[in-house]
Amino acid sequence: MKKLLLSASLVLLSTLVFAQNKDSLMIKKISDDVMQNGTAYKNLRVLCKQVGPRLSGSPQAQKAVEQTAKIMKEMGADTVYLQECMVPHWVRGKKEETKLIYANGTSKVLKAVALGNSIATPAAGITAPVIEVKSFAELEQLGRKVVEGKIVFFNYPMNSLFINTFRAYGDAIGYRVAGPSIAAKYGAKAIVIRSLASNPDDHPHTGVTVYADSLPKIPALALSTNDAEFLSRELKKKMVTKLFVRTSCQMLPDAKSYNVVGEIRGTDFPDEIITVGGHLDSWDLAEGAHDDGTGCVQSMEVIRIFRSLGIKPRRTIRAVMFMNEENGGHGGDKYAELAKASDKKFIFALESDAGGFTPRGLAFSGTQAQKAKIWQWQTLFEPYGVESFVEGGGEADIEALQPLGTVVAGLLPDSQRYFDVHHAETDVLEAVSPRELNLGAINMAGIIYLISEYGL
Amino acid sequence: MKKLLLSASLVLLSTLVFAQNKDSLMIKKISDDVMQNGTAYKNLRVLCKQVGPRLSGSPQAQKAVEQTAKIMKEMGADTVYLQECMVPHWVRGKKEETKLIYANGTSKVLKAVALGNSIATPAAGITAPVIEVKSFAELEQLGRKVVEGKIVFFNYPMNSLFINTFRAYGDAIGYRVAGPSIAAKYGAKAIVIRSLASNPDDHPHTGVTVYADSLPKIPALALSTNDAEFLSRELKKKMVTKLFVRTSCQMLPDAKSYNVVGEIRGTDFPDEIITVGGHLDSWDLAEGAHDDGTGCVQSMEVIRIFRSLGIKPRRTIRAVMFMNEENGGHGGDKYAELAKASDKKFIFALESDAGGFTPRGLAFSGTQAQKAKIWQWQTLFEPYGVESFVEGGGEADIEALQPLGTVVAGLLPDSQRYFDVHHAETDVLEAVSPRELNLGAINMAGIIYLISEYGL
């Protein structure tokens, strides 16, 4: 019996070793193909320079839909189609104005942008005393008596001590998302936040804010980190009397838009769907290179690689360009809704939405058994920079698939530079390294290949 | 006996766990201090913007010596001193000229720079037919009959298939270093090489060339990768008749220069020396940010950290700014020569000279026992991005210490972006991420701390 077990183990082991060799050769082929024939950077140029900023509802978002559909058709996807969804249509309007007003009547312009989804100020702007707070707790302590009629300045920095900058972002994002409503509760007339950026800079970083239905909506802006520091210093000197802010943003009626899906039909299990995606929309003030042009072009690259190498996947692969991640998430919601209604099995979904930087890890959610299966592949990825497989994963556009039993995953690129460019005008093609972008695509195609071969 | 062994093991284990906890806390302290109070980026600004390009023998190299000595004094090093060494003093002279001459008499300027240590052309330049070769083997095959009197164009690209770009650099560097002498053997009048760069760009990348004493010296230049591609295409069309190159470089008499050493004396084993360094010189056409301003400021940062945290090292720590790594290595040679002549033990040397990018690994040479001691520390570094300790290490300036029994080591940053800027005018402060730079310093200070505590 022991002998039998031993020989069975040996057979299993040799099967595993054989499979790993075959898989390792395939991932090497994928790598060589991307490094030699890759089109991710060329396609990113299309999104950044030909299309440009592409906020949901904008003509550029529509152009991005058309361009990516065209690219995936040319790559030879079996089918390319659109998934209609309604999206918020917010427009920034005229360039925002923000200035300090000094006791002596002079003023100083500050660099600031409206937060996404912010309302407009009255046409004349808002001029009011400004009060700096470091936290919601401090705001609550001051209370309505102090806050009412003022502009609240949330000066909460991204914590530089976190090595992973996403943790610092998660720690600070509440002030951007909930700041306006919480300040409105105490009678504030508007808010300005310190931009969410890892380093001092002169570029305000925008991002979505969400108004609570039950509270008054007040205008919200982000100051550049340097100007937030400046304002804080000036306030300490007691020389500033008031802040002036003017925004002319508008929330127009919801607009029709689309997810773009490119599909290669699986040969053996066509009803098992493997999703790989990024989001197509970007903020209106950036080219949306790292957020999230890179995720889109890496996902399309998976299609190109399979065609280029003549790989016929056993399961169906879908590259999905999700619409409206930035200020609504309606594309991701629509995708999950259609998935629920379909009779197909959505076994795996991977999103790249953490920048096109050098890849370091892949994160997976799923059952123990699913993860055990995935973990055994980890060493296959080490030559391509992905040194860790970790628990987690599931970016905004795919997390709604989890209740369907989908294993959701995320590419984990190095995070050090991301919040230098995130949601700011510095998020341009030139900030992306072609090799780093390609490496991400290689690792993404590698895991998609393995799951298409072996299932979950 | 078994019981005794077991309890002895347990004591050992708990000692180890206790030590690791203490060490892990210390590295966290180091990390927090660097992220909050770090001066590496500020000091890099001094080297890049106040000093600027600092080729050996130049007035800026001297200024860099003075500035870094000043900085380390201000950091509170116990002693700061210079190690005199003679260095080659090469000057580029007037801006190089390179152009294609077409059959119809028109011409087209190409972007090219002289290789470091190259000789000048005659004042009128050299105009000669150009012959493209892909390899030394191809050159040999053509032989003197074909090559004599021509300009040889070595068009050997960095191989994009290598994931680690340093491997591609190592694979291609022979054409830059030995190209002129090998071409001269067959009677070539000059050479141009394709720049060593990972991506197509318009910035020629220089770097040292070395003439064989036994062969005629001929001028050598590097074309930008884009212009190398262009030249290659034009040659295929048979429309180019000749290439014109003009350089006015000069090798002046050797100049006096210095390594700069900042030292914190060890409390328990002051005669055991731990070296941490980068090289102070850079090419004349770049700010030398990643090569190797970052290595210098990270090494100085180790001094600052020990002072800031009040760590009294048990062994002596020396931050060394090596002179002349780029075109001679005389600073490193001098350091090893003085080490040999001294009665101190040079137990460990770490150099950072692979760019100030996000750190991924540390490489160590040494005996099995030494490496076994070091390997047990690896997990302490994972939170700070260094996920692998590997065999290797020993950059140019410290490899001469190896015969003394010194364990030599190198920081391994992510390599994807390095050869975009290496030896080119794009190697500027702005290409460095402050957080990536700091992370390198944290890992360097961490390993220096452990070795100063536990020895080797």
Side-chain angles (χ1 to χ4, degrees), chain B residues 52-131:
Chain B
R54 42 192 184 281
L55 189 58
S56 292
S58 67
Q60 294 97 318
Q62 179 56 28
K63 200 172 160 190
V65 166
E66 291 158 13
Q67 287 288 333
T68 49
K70 181 165 164 271
I71 290 169
M72 287 196 285
K73 272 177 203 155
E74 286 168 2
M75 283 173 169
D78 288 331
T79 168
V80 175
Y81 54 93
L82 308 183
Q83 295 179 328
E84 189 182 313
C85 58
M86 296 305 287
V87 295
H89 187 191
W90 179 81
V91 292
R92 184 173 300 276
K94 273 181 285 185
K95 200 173 152 31
E96 306 82 344
E97 290 170 82
T98 307
K99 53 188 178 184
L100 279 183
I101 299 167
Y102 286 99
N104 65 5
T106 61
S107 66
K108 163 91 171 69
V109 171
L110 300 180
K111 291 183 193 72
V113 295
L115 294 183
N117 292 0
S118 172
I119 63 161
T121 61
I126 293 173
T127 305
V130 54
I131 183 158

Side-chain angles (χ1 to χ4, degrees), chain A residues 349-427:
Chain A
L350 166 68
E351 184 160 15
S352 164
D353 184 21
F357 299 96
T358 214
R360 302 209 59 161
L362 282 164
F364 301 89
S365 74
T367 64
Q368 285 307 322
Q370 287 165 330
K371 280 182 292 188
K373 185 162 191 179
I374 291 169
W375 277 190
Q376 66 174 331
W377 295 325
Q378 173 168 350
T379 52
L380 293 169
F381 292 81
E382 282 175 11
Y384 310 98
V386 163
E387 288 182 336
S388 53
F389 277 19
V390 300
E391 174 69 32
E395 297 284 348
D397 293 306
I398 56 172
E399 63 186 2
L401 292 172
Q402 267 190 289
L404 303 182
T406 310
V407 173
V408 297
L411 181 72
L412 303 179
D414 193 87
S415 75
Q416 300 309 314
R417 291 173 182 242
Y418 189 57
F419 294 98
D420 292 348
V421 302
H422 185 244
H423 295 180
E425 63 183 5
T426 46
D427 185 13

Side-chain angles (χ1 to χ4, degrees), chain A residues 97-368:
Chain A
E97 291 171 80
T98 306
K99 53 188 179 185
L100 279 182
I101 298 167
Y102 286 98
N104 64 7
T106 61
S107 66
K108 162 91 169 70
V109 172
L110 300 181
K111 292 183 192 73
V113 295
L115 295 183
N117 293 359
S118 171
I119 63 161
T121 62
I126 294 172
T127 306
V130 54
I131 182 156
E132 175 179 353
V133 296
K134 298 284 188 190
S135 66
F136 288 136
E138 192 183 340
L139 186 75
E140 196 185 334
Q141 221 161 25
L142 295 173
R144 176 170 279 270
K145 217 166 54 186
V146 178
V147 174
E148 186 157 37
K150 296 205 175 74
I151 295 173
V152 172
F153 166 34
F154 287 111
N155 191 15
Y156 189 91
M158 272 179 70
N159 187 338
S160 63
L161 304 190
F162 289 116
I163 298 302
N164 185 327
T165 60
F166 284 90
R167 286 187 64 189
Y169 184 65
D171 177 60
I173 196 176
Y175 295 94
R176 194 191 74 206
V177 173
S181 289
I182 292 179
K185 207 167 85 179
Y186 301 103
K189 295 179 83 169
I191 72 155
V192 294
I193 66 162
R194 177 193 181 100
S195 281
L196 298 179
S198 294
N199 286 298
D201 70 38
D202 289 317
H203 311 285
H205 298 238
T206 191
V208 75
T209 196
V210 179
Y211 292 113
D213 286 336
S214 57
L215 288 162
K217 294 181 177 181
I218 61 173
L221 301 93
L223 290 170
S224 76
T225 43
N226 278 337
D227 275 357
E229 286 287 305
F230 175 76
L231 173 57
S232 183
R233 285 196 302 273
E234 295 298 273
L235 287 169
K236 281 186 190 71
K237 294 188 211 151
K238 316 269 183 214
M239 295 165 67
V240 172
T241 57
K242 289 180 176 175
L243 199 63
F244 166 81
V245 294
R246 177 152 51 195
T247 59
S248 55
C249 321
Q250 261 188 291
M251 188 62 87
L252 303 175
D254 282 0
K256 196 186 284 182
S257 190
Y258 308 93
N259 298 326
V260 187
V261 184
E263 202 171 286
I264 301 182
R265 207 174 144 80
T267 51
D268 300 358
F269 308 100
D271 289 347
E272 293 193 16
I273 308 293
I274 297 167
T275 304
V276 56
H279 66 81
L280 199 47
D281 59 312
S282 80
W283 283 104
D284 58 322
L285 46 64
E287 288 178 10
H290 282 288
D291 189 14
D292 181 28
T294 51
C296 290
V297 300
Q298 287 168 329
S299 299
M300 295 195 291
E301 187 72 359
V302 174
I303 301 281
R304 191 201 63 74
I305 292 163
F306 274 69
R307 286 310 190 210
S308 168
L309 297 178
I311 309 171
K312 290 190 198 308
R314 301 181 67 206
R315 292 166 175 82
T316 294
I317 293 170
R318 281 190 185 175
V320 183
M321 315 292 109
F322 293 98
M323 184 50 70
N324 188 226
E325 190 271 349
E326 291 294 3
N327 64 337
H330 294 192
D333 292 345
K334 174 57 73 175
Y335 190 78
E337 182 193 317
L338 294 172
K340 263 171 223 163
S342 87
D343 52 1
K344 302 192 189 313
K345 264 181 81 180
F346 286 72
I347 63 167
F348 183 74
L350 166 68
E351 184 160 15
S352 164
D353 184 21
F357 299 96
T358 214
R360 302 209 59 161
L362 282 164
F364 301 89
S365 74
T367 64
Q368 285 307 322

Side-chain angles (χ1 to χ4, degrees), chain A residues 54-70:
Chain A
R54 45 194 182 278
L55 188 58
S56 292
S58 67
Q60 294 96 320
Q62 180 56 28
K63 199 172 162 190
V65 165
E66 292 158 14
Q67 287 288 331
T68 49
K70 181 165 164 270

Side-chain angles (χ1 to χ4, degrees), chain B residues 60-254:
Chain B
Q60 294 97 318
Q62 179 56 28
K63 200 172 160 190
V65 166
E66 291 158 13
Q67 287 288 333
T68 49
K70 181 165 164 271
I71 290 169
M72 287 196 285
K73 272 177 203 155
E74 286 168 2
M75 283 173 169
D78 288 331
T79 168
V80 175
Y81 54 93
L82 308 183
Q83 295 179 328
E84 189 182 313
C85 58
M86 296 305 287
V87 295
H89 187 191
W90 179 81
V91 292
R92 184 173 300 276
K94 273 181 285 185
K95 200 173 152 31
E96 306 82 344
E97 290 170 82
T98 307
K99 53 188 178 184
L100 279 183
I101 299 167
Y102 286 99
N104 65 5
T106 61
S107 66
K108 163 91 171 69
V109 171
L110 300 180
K111 291 183 193 72
V113 295
L115 294 183
N117 292 0
S118 172
I119 63 161
T121 61
I126 293 173
T127 305
V130 54
I131 183 158
E132 175 179 353
V133 296
K134 297 285 189 189
S135 66
F136 288 137
E138 192 183 338
L139 186 75
E140 198 185 332
Q141 222 161 23
L142 295 174
R144 177 170 277 270
K145 216 166 53 186
V146 176
V147 174
E148 187 158 36
K150 295 205 176 74
I151 296 173
V152 171
F153 167 33
F154 287 111
N155 191 15
Y156 189 91
M158 274 180 69
N159 187 339
S160 63
L161 303 190
F162 289 117
I163 298 301
N164 185 329
T165 60
F166 284 90
R167 286 187 63 190
Y169 183 65
D171 176 61
I173 196 175
Y175 295 93
R176 194 191 74 205
V177 174
S181 289
I182 292 179
K185 208 167 84 179
Y186 301 103
K189 295 178 83 169
I191 72 154
V192 294
I193 66 162
R194 178 193 182 100
S195 281
L196 298 178
S198 294
N199 286 299
D201 71 37
D202 289 317
H203 311 285
H205 299 238
T206 189
V208 75
T209 197
V210 179
Y211 291 113
D213 286 336
S214 56
L215 289 161
K217 295 181 177 181
I218 60 174
L221 300 93
L223 290 171
S224 76
T225 43
N226 278 337
D227 275 356
E229 286 286 305
F230 176 75
L231 174 56
S232 183
R233 284 196 303 274
E234 295 297 274
L235 287 170
K236 279 185 193 71
K237 295 188 211 152
K238 315 269 183 213
M239 295 165 69
V240 172
T241 55
K242 289 179 175 176
L243 198 63
F244 166 81
V245 295
R246 176 151 53 195
T247 60
S248 55
C249 320
Q250 261 188 292
M251 188 61 87
L252 304 174
D254 281 1

Side-chain angles (χ1 to χ4, degrees), chain B residues 349-369:
Chain B
L350 167 68
E351 183 159 18
S352 164
D353 184 21
F357 299 95
T358 213
R360 303 209 58 161
L362 282 164
F364 302 89
S365 73
T367 64
Q368 286 307 324

